[in-house]
Amino acid sequence: MHHALLVDEILLNILAALREADAPYSQLNAVARTCHLLSPLALDFLWSELPDVRPLLQYMKPRIPNDQRTSVPCPSFQRAASRVRKLSCPALACSDTHSQIALTERLRLLSMMRIKTALFPNLRRLSWTDTDQSRYVYIRLFLSPTLESLELDFFFHKPPNFPFLTLLPKLCPNLHSMSISKHPVISLSGDEGPSAVQTICRLPRLTALECKSSTISKADLLHLSQLKSLATLSLGIPSWVSSDHGSLAHHSSREAKDCADRLWFCNLRNLHLRAYSMPVITSFVEPGCRPLQSVVFDISEAPTTASLTECFSTLYSTQCDNECNAMRSIQVRDSFSKATLGVSQLLPDSKVITLDVFKPLFAFTKLRVFDLGVCLSFSLGDSDLTAMASSWPELEVFCLNEGRGWHLSASEPRPSITIRGLQSLCALCPRLYQIAIVLNALLPCPITSHSSRQDTALARNSAVTCLSLGDSRLANPQDVACALSNIFPRLKRISAWQYPLDKLPEGRYHRRLWEEVNNILQQRDITVVAK
């Protein structure tokens, strides 16, 4: 054996590389079997992350009555379980009856054993996805004091019984992240005691909570909003949330409402909201939520410019002046990812985004990610883009309707962004590495040698290797390729007029022209390599 393998740091890096390069982990398995010296470390890597619980349960032996050897987990099971840091129980196909029965039987067998300590003494993350409601009673077997993240996902409509929820604060005192797929579970309450969400809120270190549905009760939402440790929240907002957020508090007590407003998610930093419409999200954000660092808003219906402006204004108003610098990321998306607008139809002002929509966000001067993907059109020019870039000098990701386009109409003239405006964007935001925007490249506007050497140096961006240009129109592929190469010297490819944009009028024609631009960029790279 080479002496370098006796250095733990070197060996760990080699084993980590084997795990990343070999999905079935056959090479790690071979190392563990062929070398006694390397076996412990290789086994640690092999068992540390299990995407399926069944390989571990294969160590279980059929239980024989009055046999002490089968009344406790075998040593092989215990050794493997002690190495597990991340464990998943993936969903099995309902049609796979044999696997379903076998998994249930092994879990039942494990539950019948005499277990005095945690089965998984080093488990950090547990993800349980299932189609069988009866198996959820066995989750308690996998809980341990070291557990930090718990994710529950299921595929049946009736809320299952989670008898272990009330024991979570005791069984998992270090749990700081929790995700539940169906919201009725955490809002489920009965006469026996407090609701599940109130139990979850008693976790002493809970900092992140994800609820993927949107039926949380008013009482539970108010209780959740007072949780001071919560820093990250992903929530589906129910339709009953309205602009009168006073309904979230006790109607009979003005003091309770004032307390709710003052402490409404007061320490929240990362917020992901899902709702039917933008006004519902605005109503939720209005009571407080500060000082936020990142927000993601997913809505079902397309917003209007007025609802977007109101939401952005409310988002700004929730931050104190000295807290605006905390905001790092803003993402807004609707569900119409494949929708197209009729470009021949004149759109009302309520469907056209102008610079005024973004002005409330200009106070977030440390913004790094701005991603807006909505079923609306845009009316922005070079000067508008310069105003946005000047307000967000640390921008790293700038996407306006990536993959959707702006659906500009030739019969409806509007301001448009040119390659010169794109150059200004890169000069003002030197950290950009991802850009999705729509250009008007119909008129000649190359970045020529007449530009001063200083301006050219400022405008060059070596981080961007791919541009998403939506439904950008162009006339001369050679000029456009030359101009973009001057701005982005490492540009490899441009994505434009992809499906469904290629179904629009002139879509295939402009897509073919952009493919010519890509061919020119590829030829340029070949030439550079040859030199």
Side-chain angles (χ1 to χ4, degrees), residues 203-432:
L203 291 167
R205 299 187 179 183
L206 184 67
T207 59
L209 178 64
E210 179 181 21
C211 306
K212 299 179 182 179
S213 190
S214 55
T215 56
I216 189 170
S217 69
K218 295 182 180 181
D220 280 346
L221 182 57
L222 179 61
H223 193 88
L224 188 63
S225 71
Q226 310 302 296
L227 187 60
K228 294 183 179 181
S229 64
L230 198 62
T232 300
L233 176 65
S234 179
L235 182 69
I237 310 177
S239 57
W240 54 260
V241 174
S242 66
S243 58
D244 182 14
H245 61 269
S247 62
L248 299 176
H250 303 290
H251 294 285
S252 60
S253 174
R254 179 67 182 178
E255 291 76 11
K257 177 183 180 302
D258 293 339
C259 178
D261 290 352
R262 186 173 62 256
L263 298 179
W264 181 264
F265 297 103
C266 59
N267 292 315
L268 206 61
R269 297 297 181 267
N270 309 295
L271 179 63
H272 182 185
L273 297 178
R274 298 174 299 279
Y276 176 74
S277 65
M278 187 59 69
V280 176
I281 286 181
T282 304
S283 300
F284 183 95
V285 175
E286 188 176 2
C289 301
R290 62 176 184 267
L292 293 171
Q293 295 178 353
S294 69
V295 295
V296 179
F297 298 150
D298 288 324
I299 54 177
S300 299
E301 69 170 13
T304 63
T305 56
S307 64
L308 270 179
T309 305
E310 182 182 10
C311 181
F312 291 159
S313 299
T314 303
L315 187 62
Y316 164 68
S317 66
T318 62
Q319 312 286 97
C320 298
D321 291 339
N322 61 345
E323 295 172 343
C324 287
N325 289 339
M327 185 67 73
R328 294 292 185 268
S329 176
I330 299 175
Q331 301 179 62
V332 180
R333 305 179 291 237
D334 63 28
S335 60
F336 299 96
S337 59
K338 297 300 182 182
T340 57
L341 298 173
V343 294
S344 61
Q345 180 180 2
L346 296 180
L347 295 174
D349 292 341
S350 61
K351 295 293 184 180
V352 180
I353 294 179
T354 63
L355 181 66
D356 291 337
V357 175
F358 304 108
K359 287 182 177 178
L361 305 179
F362 285 178
F364 302 134
T365 56
K366 299 295 183 179
L367 195 66
R368 296 177 182 174
V369 176
F370 186 75
D371 186 352
L372 180 63
V374 291
C375 196
L376 298 174
S377 185
F378 290 76
S379 180
L380 299 173
D382 287 347
S383 60
D384 299 326
L385 189 63
T386 299
M388 298 169 72
S390 300
S391 301
W392 305 323
E394 297 185 12
L395 209 59
E396 299 175 358
V397 175
F398 184 59
C399 297
L400 298 181
N401 269 20
E402 182 174 13
R404 303 188 189 193
W406 292 8
H407 310 287
L408 301 176
S409 172
S411 61
E412 186 182 7
R414 297 183 196 151
S416 56
I417 294 173
T418 68
I419 294 179
R420 187 72 68 183
L422 185 59
Q423 183 193 30
S424 299
L425 172 67
C426 293
L428 294 169
C429 303
R431 299 183 181 181
L432 277 169

Side-chain angles (χ1 to χ4, degrees), residues 161 166 188-196 199 202:
N161 180 25
T166 56
L188 188 64
S189 60
D191 298 332
E192 304 85 25
S195 68
T199 300
R202 287 204 296 266

Side-chain angles (χ1 to χ4, degrees), residues 47 79 103 210 285 292 319 442-443 493 514:
W47 287 100
R79 284 195 297 268
L103 176 59
E210 179 181 21
V285 175
L292 293 171
Q319 312 286 97
L442 291 172
L443 299 177
R493 181 167 180 81
W514 281 112

